[in-house]
């Protein structure tokens, strides 16, 4: 299997994630779309690393996984706080936190 197939799959996954991020209002779904985009990026980085015979892309993918794990912990805590105060997980309600 050539790396081009992995890059096509990565592009499709990233497009689905970006569309979901832009179109959905539920914070949990937006969160999952961000994770989908990060995983698509990881797939592309590993494919490029395999194509060039280097481990640099895999190291970057590892760092992205660490950042994604930290993002999940902090993001879910924020979403839970918003849900407890507003009884909704809509991103439109999150904009009211600045007042």
């Amino acid at each position: 299997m050539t790396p081009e197939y992995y890059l096509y799959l990565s592009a499709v996954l990233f497009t689905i994630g970006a569309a979901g991020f832009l179109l959905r209002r539920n914070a949990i779904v937006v969160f999952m779309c961000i994770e989908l985009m990060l995983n698509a990026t990881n797939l592309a980085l590993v494919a490029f690393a395999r194509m060039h015979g280097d481990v640099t892309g895999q190291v970057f993918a590892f760092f992205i996984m660490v950042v994604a794990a930290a993002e999940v912990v902090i993001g879910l805590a924020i979403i839970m706080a918003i849900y407890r105060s507003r009884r909704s997980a809509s991103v439109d309600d999150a904009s009211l936190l600045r007042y």
Side-chain angles (χ1 to χ4, degrees), residues 40-99:
T41 305
N42 283 342
L43 181 63
L45 285 172
V46 171
F48 280 125
R50 171 103 175 145
M51 190 182 324
H52 295 290
D54 194 8
V55 295
T56 307
Q58 294 173 355
V59 171
F60 279 124
F62 177 73
F63 283 122
I64 288 174
M65 283 191 277
V66 170
V67 169
E71 173 212 350
V72 165
V73 170
I74 295 171
L76 284 179
I78 292 171
I79 290 171
M80 289 295 293
I82 291 170
Y83 182 77
R84 284 184 182 173
S85 66
R86 309 246 185 239
R87 293 289 174 207
S88 173
S90 175
V91 291
D92 294 330
D93 292 339
S95 66
L96 297 175
L97 290 177
R98 61 183 166 188
Y99 298 114

Side-chain angles (χ1 to χ4, degrees), residues 3-77:
E4 288 86 16
Y5 293 119
Y6 293 110
L7 295 176
Y8 290 140
L9 178 63
S10 173
V12 168
L13 290 175
F14 193 88
T15 303
I16 292 170
F21 178 77
L22 293 174
L23 298 176
R24 299 300 299 253
R25 296 282 105 205
N26 189 338
I28 299 293
V29 175
V30 168
F31 223 57
M32 289 190 309
C33 290
I34 291 172
E35 292 294 325
L36 189 62
M37 288 190 290
L38 289 173
N39 285 327
T41 305
N42 283 342
L43 181 63
L45 285 172
V46 171
F48 280 125
R50 171 103 175 145
M51 190 182 324
H52 295 290
D54 194 8
V55 295
T56 307
Q58 294 173 355
V59 171
F60 279 124
F62 177 73
F63 283 122
I64 288 174
M65 283 191 277
V66 170
V67 169
E71 173 212 350
V72 165
V73 170
I74 295 171
L76 284 179

